Amino acid sequence: MRLEPISIAFVGVYNAILPMIPGLDNKFCRHLFDNPDETVNGMSAEGYTISINKKPFPLVVFNPQKIIFKSEDIDTLTSYVVKVKNEFKKKFFTPKFSAFGINYEYQFLDLDDNADVWISNRFLKSDTFGGKEKKCNVISLRFDIDDSEIVNMSFEPRIGIRNGVFMSINHHHASILEELPEECVLKDLYEKSLYKIKKDFFPFLQD
């Protein structure tokens, strides 16, 4: 079995619903990912979106409730956060946040069983339902770490891979941020989050 990272995201929840989404210069948006020919930007169902054409990330979305940054690693993620933060400052916009999340996507590959069997064996007792053979396509778990932190995890078969499982992790923090974090601050938040995830959860998934 192999466990591979796919993406990382930072999500900031505003301390109040914005009456208006701040506009960003079109040239800035097209050059945010250093790939202007493939970058698209504009309104979507999720909000104002900046993305690479036909790819799940890199991605920036902001709407009246929150702002989302998604990338393949922490270095590129922090660079996008800092760029957007500086562009917001030019418009005299400094959002404050009542909560934030550091989110991860991983994939389990080369499992010994089909994905739905692996999920069932991993999370359901063998004697439930009278010991009948079980297959599980999706399972979601919530762990209340303390009064300010929650970890949500979900597992489902990896599309197109018979013995692969997709895992998403939302590490929610009910903590105030006075602004979008600087590079060093975001990396510190990420390192503390990842340490906790790897220490408290990964061992039970890889034994």
Side-chain angles (χ1 to χ4, degrees), residues 9-10 33 38 40 53 58 70 82 87-89 103 105 116 119-120 129 143-144 150 153 155 169 202-203 206:
F10 171 81
F33 306 133
E38 296 294 326
V40 293
N53 193 27
K70 186 176 182 180
V82 170
E87 189 68 13
F88 278 165
K89 283 186 174 181
N103 303 338
E105 292 177 335
D116 53 0
I119 294 172
S120 177
F129 298 100
F143 303 90
D144 294 327
I150 298 170
M153 308 179 76
F155 304 81
I169 303 171
F202 278 14
Q206 296 177 286

Side-chain angles (χ1 to χ4, degrees), residues 4-6 9 23 36 40 43 53 80 82 106 118 128 142 155 189:
E4 295 182 351
I6 299 174
V40 293
M43 292 301 298
N53 193 27
Y80 305 147
V82 170
Y106 283 85
W118 184 90
T128 55
R142 168 175 167 155
F155 304 81
L189 293 172

Side-chain angles (χ1 to χ4, degrees), residues 27 40 47 50 83 86 112 155 159 167 186 194 199 205:
K27 182 178 180 180
V40 293
I50 311 170
K83 286 180 181 180
N86 292 336
D112 293 333
F155 304 81
I159 296 175
M167 174 176 67
L186 181 53
L194 187 61
K199 173 179 175 291
L205 299 171

Side-chain angles (χ1 to χ4, degrees), residues 121-179:
N121 291 341
R122 177 65 55 168
F123 298 108
L124 300 178
K125 290 184 177 181
S126 59
D127 59 355
T128 55
F129 298 100
K132 293 182 176 63
E133 181 183 1
K134 295 171 288 296
K135 297 180 180 180
C136 183
N137 283 320
V138 179
I139 191 165
S140 298
L141 305 171
R142 168 175 167 155
F143 303 90
D144 294 327
I145 306 303
D146 54 35
D147 290 341
S148 64
E149 291 186 36
I150 298 170
V151 172
N152 297 292
M153 308 179 76
S154 67
F155 304 81
E156 61 185 88
R158 193 81 170 104
I159 296 175
I161 303 177
R162 178 186 61 80
N163 58 345
V165 167
F166 173 80
M167 174 176 67
S168 65
I169 303 171
N170 161 239
H171 189 181
H172 174 80
H173 300 70
S175 303
I176 295 173
L177 291 176
E178 293 295 329
E179 59 182 351

Side-chain angles (χ1 to χ4, degrees), residues 6 9 13 15 32 41 73 80 102 105 135 158 167 197:
I6 299 174
V13 180
N15 65 348
L32 177 60
N41 59 291
D73 56 54
Y80 305 147
I102 297 178
E105 292 177 335
K135 297 180 180 180
R158 193 81 170 104
M167 174 176 67
I197 296 297

